[in-house]
Amino acid sequence: MPGTLILCASPIGNLADAPPRLAEALGSADLVYAEDTRRARILLGHLGVSRPVRSYFVGNEVERSTELAGRLASGETVALLTDAGVPTISDPGLSAVRAALGAGAVVTGVPGPSALTLALAVSGLPAERFVFEGFLPRRGRKRDQRLSALAGEPRTLVLFCSPGRLSADLADLAATLGEDRPCAVCRELTKLHEEVWRGSLEEASRRWGESPARGEVTLVVGGTPEAAPDPGSDLAAALQQVEELVSGGSTLSAACRSVAEQRGVRRRALYEAATARRGGG
């Protein structure tokens, strides 16, 4: 009977963030594959777990995924750890999941710390809908194409940045998305020197250009602002009608519902536009 692959989320800085179930999962494994065996052994030692550890990183994952599939096919339980956060999220692991599925094994996981969601939560930027971009391409056409694609993205953006490339990433994002776009530079989250810097892309570019970053960086950038409706558009006319109904004593919700039905516009879009206009006014 095929075995089980356990994807184990590891602390992103503070070992005390490791959930109790992580120790249980690692302790149940016949073998632990890890992106960095040295860091994995430190974590296992902190959790009081002793298990064999083998490397599993970008340079050897083709070979290791074949090995992993064989172990799973023979019924073993295998755990996978990356340096920080969740395997497969801008870290090795996809090849392991595919190998496990190919072997008919069970794929499960232990949830835990994530720089992505923590940075988004503390950024002060909208978090209801967001896009995770991982690392930007380092250079060339692929980088230009990715930046251009992000320019019109209305959802909040979350990116990982290496310390040495943060200044260049910020400068290119400011040039493509707009210098006044709000952002949060989240550095060394959960660690001793944690820092969350908030401002515009232009200010961030200047700040981190003058003083290079240290440590792990997660960058959160506000989405492109929704364009104001054309005064001659159906939405603009609908907004005006909503304002008239509200002035006459109708609730905003009821007015939007009535006007949306009359004019054939989306009620949610009309309500959000009306709310934004009244908030701004």
Side-chain angles (χ1 to χ4, degrees), residues 55-96:
S55 65
Y56 197 108
F57 56 89
V58 173
N60 71 0
E61 64 179 322
V62 173
E63 172 191 343
R64 287 289 196 259
S65 64
T66 301
E67 177 185 302
L68 177 146
R71 289 180 176 276
L72 292 172
S74 67
E76 291 188 17
T77 295
V78 176
L80 179 65
L81 279 171
T82 47
D83 286 354
V86 185
T88 78
I89 308 299
S90 284
D91 271 326
L94 179 59
S95 60

Side-chain angles (χ1 to χ4, degrees), residues 66 73 126 145 156 185 188 199 204 227 270:
T66 301
Q145 289 176 335
T156 300
V185 178
E188 293 289 83
L270 181 57

Side-chain angles (χ1 to χ4, degrees), residues 226-229 234-247 250-257 259-260 265-281:
E226 186 173 336
D234 289 342
L235 182 56
L239 281 171
Q240 181 60 38
Q241 189 175 347
V242 166
E243 289 297 331
E244 292 171 359
L245 290 175
V246 171
S247 298
S250 175
T251 65
L252 181 61
S253 178
C256 289
R257 181 170 57 251
V259 173
V265 298
R266 290 176 53 239
R267 187 175 73 175
R268 181 178 179 83
L270 181 57
Y271 182 82
E272 290 178 348
T275 302
R277 171 182 280 191
R278 295 174 69 82

